[in-house]
Amino acid sequence: MATVKLLSDDELSSEARAVFDDIRKVRQSDFINNFWRALAHDPRTLRRTWESLKEVMGPGTLDPKVKEMLYVAVSVAHGCSYCIHSHTASARAKGMTAAEYSELLAIVGMAAETNRLVTALGVPVDQAFLADAAD
């Protein structure tokens, strides 16, 4: 359940409306999801978040599907059900297959398990790994 009212288009400030217009233009869709409707109460945060998301998820070195799959992985790790669903849908729209999704979840689960084990055991980072980071 939302902690704030999800604003309809009729309830938007002019600043929030401008961001929604840009979301629609960039995504080539009239659909505005609930995340943006909740953020619309604070047009500055709405705009900042949208601009950052456009930059990070926009064209770059990584394939758009890979970016969405990474977003899913981080969302699973953080336990954000909303982001898991929205970015899984986006990854599927960008071509993620059922097999890729299964493998992604297996990797997330394995990383979570080994992260907890290495943390509990206090395993120091291998010097060879630190040398690679400097390159």
Side-chain angles (χ1 to χ4, degrees):
M1 175 186 297
T3 60
V4 297
K5 182 178 190 277
L6 303 178
L7 297 180
S8 70
D9 285 4
D10 294 336
E11 298 171 303
L12 298 175
S13 67
S14 59
E15 297 89 353
R17 184 176 315 283
V19 176
F20 277 30
D21 289 345
D22 191 48
I23 292 170
R24 288 183 168 112
K25 178 182 165 195
V26 169
R27 293 188 169 169
Q28 298 177 352
S29 172
D30 284 335
F31 178 69
I32 301 290
N33 64 42
N34 288 340
F35 175 66
W36 302 115
R37 292 189 178 283
L39 279 181
H41 287 278
D42 182 353
R44 290 178 57 200
T45 300
L46 172 68
R47 176 169 300 286
R48 184 184 74 247
T49 305
W50 171 241
E51 292 299 326
S52 293
L53 188 94
K54 279 195 311 185
E55 183 176 334
V56 170
M57 298 302 284
T61 304
L62 294 175
D63 178 87
K65 179 178 77 172
V66 171
K67 287 184 176 193
E68 291 296 342
M69 291 173 72
L70 287 166
Y71 215 116
V72 171
V74 172
S75 299
V76 169
H78 285 263
C80 180
S81 179
Y82 187 89
C83 292
I84 292 167
H85 285 278
S86 65
H87 290 278
T88 296
S90 187
R92 286 180 174 144
K94 290 176 173 57
M96 180 182 70
T97 65
E100 288 174 321
Y101 186 63
S102 292
E103 191 169 339
L104 168 69
L105 294 182
I107 293 166
V108 170
M110 185 82 273
E113 180 182 345
T114 58
N115 287 182
R116 286 189 307 270
L117 287 169
V118 79
T119 299
L121 295 169
V123 179
V125 177
D126 296 80
Q127 190 62 38
F129 298 153
L130 295 174
D132 287 345
D135 291 339

